[in-house]
Amino acid sequence: MSTIVWPRFGKRGNPKDGDKASPEHGSEKSIDQISPAEDVSPGGLSFFEDTAGGLGRHLGVVSCTLLIVGRIIGTGIFSTPSSILSGVGSVGASLMLWVLGFVLSFCGLFIWLELGTMYPRSGGEKVYLEAIYQKPKFLATVVFAANAILLGFSASGCISRSPHCCSSILVSAGKVADVWSERGIAIGVISFVTILHGFTPRTGVLFMNVLTIFKIVILAFVVITGWVVLSGNTNIADPRVNFRDAFAGSSHSSNDYATATFKVLFAYAGWSNVNYVLNNVRDPIRTLKIAGPLGLGICATLYLLANIAYFSAASKAEIEASGVTVAALFFRNVFGSTAERALSVFVALRYNVATSTFAACRVNQELAKEGIPLPFGNKFWASNWPTGKTPLPGLIVHLIPSIVVILGPPMDVAYPFILDVSEYPQQIINFFIVVGLFWLRWKKPHLKRPFKVWWPLAVFYLAAAVFLLITPFLRPANGVGDTPPLPYYLYCLVGIGVMVFGVLYWAGWRILLPKVFGYELVPRKQALDDGTFVTLCRTYSAIRRTGSSLLSFGALLPFSIQVEGDI
C-alpha cells in the first residue's frame, strides 16, 4: 500500500513552522492561548489549519452579542404566541412555557459554553459531536451534515416564515398579498442576503448589526406600549381580562405541551449562533462567555414582556384567531388599522435571515473541510471563492433548500410543520451532546475547561430533551395536532428519517462502496489558494499487484472525489 506524504503548506496565507499568524488571521491572543483542549477533526486538520483562511478574527463582543440577539429575535416572538396559546389553551400556561423556554435556553447555553470554550472552532454541534463520538470515524460528521444541509440548518424554519413577513410589506403598501408575490419577495430577500454576505462580508456584518438594533427598538416599542395599555390609558376596554383566571382552559395533553415547547424553543433558537463562527471571533473564549449570556438575557427579557403586552391588548379568542400575525393584531387594537399598515413594514424587518445565513454558511464550509463527499468535490464547497474572504459556496448550499421550501409546500400547512420538523432532530442532537458532556467529564477529566456548567443544569436540560423526544408521539387532545391534514407525529418521523439517511450515506461512503469496489479512503490535507485547509479523501486500490497498475473505482462513485491508482 502506498504511503501518503503530507504536502508542504507553502501557499499564500499559510505561515511556516515557527512563524506567528499574520494580523489577518490573528487576534490580540496567540494561537497557543486560544488552542482547544484537543484536536478532534476527523479529517486530521489541526487547530491552526481549521481556523486559517477568510477574514480572520474580526468579530468582537458587541458584534457577537448582536449576532445572537439578531438570530433570536425573528418571527417567533411576533407570530408564534398565537399558535402556542391555541396549543396549550390558556394564557397562564402559555406564559409558563415562555418562562420554561427561557430556563431551558440558558441551561443549553451554559452547556454550549463549556464545550465552546473547550473547542473554540467554528461549527458548533458539529465540533462537539466529533469530539465526543470519534468512532466510527466520520459518522457523527455525516449525520450532522444530513441535518444541516437537508433541513437547511436553522434556516429551513427561518425561510419558511418569510412569506408571512412579505405579507406585512404588501399590506403596508395597500396591496393584496397573494401566494406568488409573497414567495417572490422571500426569494429576493434570500438572494440579496446571499450576495451581500458572499461578496461584501464586512458590509454584511454592518447590515446585521444595524438591523438587529432596529429589531430591539421595535420590540422595546411593543413592550412600552404594553405597559401603557395595562395602565388603562388607551382605548382597550379591559387590558387585564386575560390575567384573571389565567389558567382557565389549559390543555391536559402532554403532546400539546411538547409541540408548543418546540415552538417556544424555536423562538429562542440562536443563543448558540456565535459557536458556529468562532474562527472569526477575536479572543473567542472570553467573547463567548460574555456575548452568550448577555445576548440571551436581552432576548428573554424582551420576549416575556412582549407576551404580556400582546395579552393586554387582545382577548384570548382574538389572539387564537389571529393565525401567525399576533403583532399585527396588537398594533390594530392599540393604534387602529391605519397605524397597523404603517407599522407592518417595520414588523417585516424582523427577518433574521441575515444572521442565520451568516452562521449556517460557515457550518457548511466546516463540513466540506472534513472531506465529506459532495457534488463537484469538497474543495469548492470548503473554499472562500471568489473573494477569498467569505464562503460563498457555503451560502449557496444554504440557499438551495431555502428556495425549495419557499416554492414547494403551501405555507398554511408548511409553516407550523417546518417549525416542528426543524426542532425535532435538533433535540436528538442536543440529547447526544449532553450525554457526551458527562462522558467527557468521566473519561477525560484532565482536559482544559475554561467554563464549567453546573451539572444539575445539564441534568435538567437532558431530562427536557428526553421529554421532548418522547411526548410528540403521544396522541394530542384534539387528535390531529397543529398540522392537519398531516399526521401529528409526521414531523418526528421526518426528522428521524433525515438522520437515518445520514447513517446510510456514511455506511455507503465508508463501508459499502469501498468493499464492493475494492479500495480504501486515505485522507490528504491540502491548502487552497485562499489560505483555507481542506481534507481530501482519496481512493486507493486495496490490492497491490507487482508490475501492474490498478485503476481506482472512484470515477464510478456518485460524487466527485480525486482519484489515484496504486502501482
Side-chain angles (χ1 to χ4, degrees):
M1 181 63 59
S2 299
T3 59
I4 305 302
V5 179
W6 299 108
R8 297 179 63 182
F9 306 123
K11 295 192 177 183
R12 178 169 56 85
N14 306 316
K16 296 178 181 179
D17 294 340
D19 292 345
K20 292 183 178 180
S22 65
E24 180 183 1
H25 301 293
S27 67
E28 63 274 15
K29 290 198 173 187
S30 68
I31 292 294
D32 291 336
Q33 289 175 294
I34 59 174
S35 60
E38 58 179 343
D39 283 327
V40 295
S41 169
L45 297 180
S46 69
F47 179 71
F48 167 75
E49 292 163 350
D50 182 68
T51 56
L55 277 175
R57 302 189 180 277
H58 62 100
L59 300 176
V61 172
V62 174
S63 290
C64 287
T65 301
L66 293 176
L67 186 64
I68 292 173
V69 175
R71 174 62 183 89
I72 295 177
I73 299 179
T75 296
I77 187 57
F78 294 100
S79 299
T80 54
S82 57
S83 61
I84 292 169
L85 177 62
S86 299
V88 298
S90 72
V91 170
S94 177
L95 288 175
M96 291 302 295
L97 280 186
W98 283 99
V99 174
L100 175 63
F102 157 74
V103 174
L104 285 175
S105 297
F106 260 102
C107 291
L109 172 67
F110 292 143
I111 294 170
W112 266 242
L113 279 179
E114 176 169 334
L115 293 170
T117 54
M118 288 176 67
Y119 306 102
R121 304 166 66 153
S122 292
E125 291 88 354
K126 165 197 171 291
V127 177
Y128 315 144
L129 290 171
E130 290 169 348
I132 298 164
Y133 305 101
Q134 298 182 13
K135 294 181 179 181
K137 197 172 184 180
F138 285 102
L139 176 60
T141 307
V142 174
V143 171
F144 180 82
N147 180 55
I149 295 174
L150 296 181
L151 298 181
F153 211 75
S154 58
S156 59
C158 174
I159 304 307
S160 71
R161 59 186 181 241
S162 293
H164 302 290
C165 300
C166 298
S167 65
S168 299
I169 298 175
L170 295 170
V171 168
S172 67
K175 304 292 184 179
V176 177
D178 63 81
V179 172
W180 288 105
S181 60
E182 291 176 348
R183 289 176 172 176
I185 294 175
I187 292 175
V189 170
I190 300 306
S191 301
F192 167 75
V193 170
T194 299
I195 294 171
L196 181 69
H197 284 316
F199 293 95
T200 58
R202 292 193 183 276
T203 303
V205 172
L206 178 62
F207 174 79
M208 288 191 304
N209 291 349
V210 172
L211 188 59
T212 297
I213 293 172
F214 186 82
K215 290 195 290 185
I216 293 173
V217 171
I218 292 296
L219 199 53
F221 176 75
V222 171
V223 170
I224 294 172
T225 302
W227 291 343
V228 175
V229 171
L230 285 172
S231 70
N233 296 322
T234 64
N235 61 347
I236 304 299
D238 187 0
R240 296 180 177 84
V241 64
N242 286 325
F243 303 104
R244 301 190 194 101
D245 197 12
F247 289 90
S250 296
S251 171
H252 298 288
S253 168
S254 57
N255 179 283
D256 290 340
Y257 285 97
T259 302
T261 301
F262 277 129
K263 292 180 173 60
V264 172
L265 293 178
F266 185 87
Y268 279 109
W271 45 261
S272 61
N273 219 29
V274 175
N275 294 66
Y276 303 131
V277 300
L278 285 176
N279 290 356
N280 299 120
V281 176
R282 293 194 299 268
D283 195 357
I285 293 175
R286 173 183 174 274
T287 301
L288 185 61
K289 290 195 288 186
I290 296 174
L294 179 60
L296 180 56
I298 291 172
C299 294
T301 302
L302 291 174
Y303 271 22
L304 294 175
L305 296 176
N307 271 277
I308 294 174
Y310 293 148
F311 293 135
S312 69
S315 67
K316 175 182 171 182
E318 285 180 307
I319 295 174
E320 288 179 334
S322 67
V324 294
T325 55
V326 65
L329 173 66
F330 174 81
F331 288 134
R332 181 171 70 245
N333 286 357
V334 176
F335 299 106
S337 58
T338 303
E340 176 193 3
R341 287 194 299 271
L343 290 170
S344 290
V345 69
F346 297 112
V347 176
L349 292 175
R350 66 188 183 262
Y351 278 114
N352 57 12
V353 177
T355 50
S356 62
T357 300
F358 180 82
C361 71
R362 282 154 176 80
V363 174
N364 293 335
Q365 182 185 41
E366 293 301 313
L367 290 168
K369 286 181 182 179
E370 300 295 351
I372 295 176
L374 297 170
F376 310 114
N378 61 314
K379 282 199 296 184
F380 172 71
W381 302 111
S383 71
N384 290 299
W385 178 87
T387 64
K389 297 179 179 180
T390 192
L392 179 61
L395 287 163
I396 295 173
V397 172
H398 179 81
L399 177 67
I400 293 172
S402 301
I403 292 179
V404 170
V405 169
I406 292 173
L407 295 178
M411 282 295 101
D412 290 340
V413 175
Y415 176 63
F417 178 78
I418 292 175
L419 284 181
D420 298 334
V421 79
S422 61
E423 275 300 309
Y424 192 82
Q426 184 62 44
Q427 288 302 321
I428 298 176
I429 291 172
N430 293 350
F431 170 81
F432 281 102
I433 285 179
V434 181
V435 170
L437 176 77
F438 289 111
W439 183 88
L440 281 178
R441 287 193 179 183
W442 175 47
K443 286 290 187 179
K444 301 180 179 181
H446 59 282
L447 293 180
K448 182 176 65 174
R449 291 174 171 84
F451 180 91
K452 203 169 184 179
V453 63
W454 189 40
W455 69 265
L457 296 181
V459 170
F460 177 68
Y461 192 80
L462 178 62
V466 172
F467 171 80
L468 292 173
L469 291 176
I470 295 175
T471 52
F473 287 100
L474 303 179
R475 188 177 181 84
N478 63 3
V480 296
D482 66 344
T483 58
L486 302 177
Y488 63 88
Y489 51 81
L490 181 61
Y491 72 89
C492 304
L493 298 181
V494 172
I496 294 172
V498 168
M499 307 197 83
V500 170
F501 171 80
V503 174
L504 296 177
Y505 190 86
W506 169 86
W509 172 46
R510 301 290 298 182
I511 299 176
L512 181 61
L513 291 178
K515 182 174 293 186
V516 170
F517 293 111
Y519 67 85
E520 68 172 325
L521 296 167
V522 181
R524 180 179 67 87
K525 290 186 282 188
Q526 180 175 332
L528 306 181
D529 290 337
D530 60 16
T532 303
F533 286 82
V534 61
T535 298
L536 303 175
C537 287
R538 310 183 75 173
T539 61
Y540 285 84
S541 173
I543 305 174
R544 186 184 182 108
R545 293 181 182 174
T546 303
S548 63
S549 176
L550 299 182
L551 177 64
S552 172
F553 289 94
L556 302 178
L557 302 182
F559 40 75
S560 175
I561 58 176
Q562 296 194 8
V563 179
E564 288 187 12
D566 275 346
I567 295 178

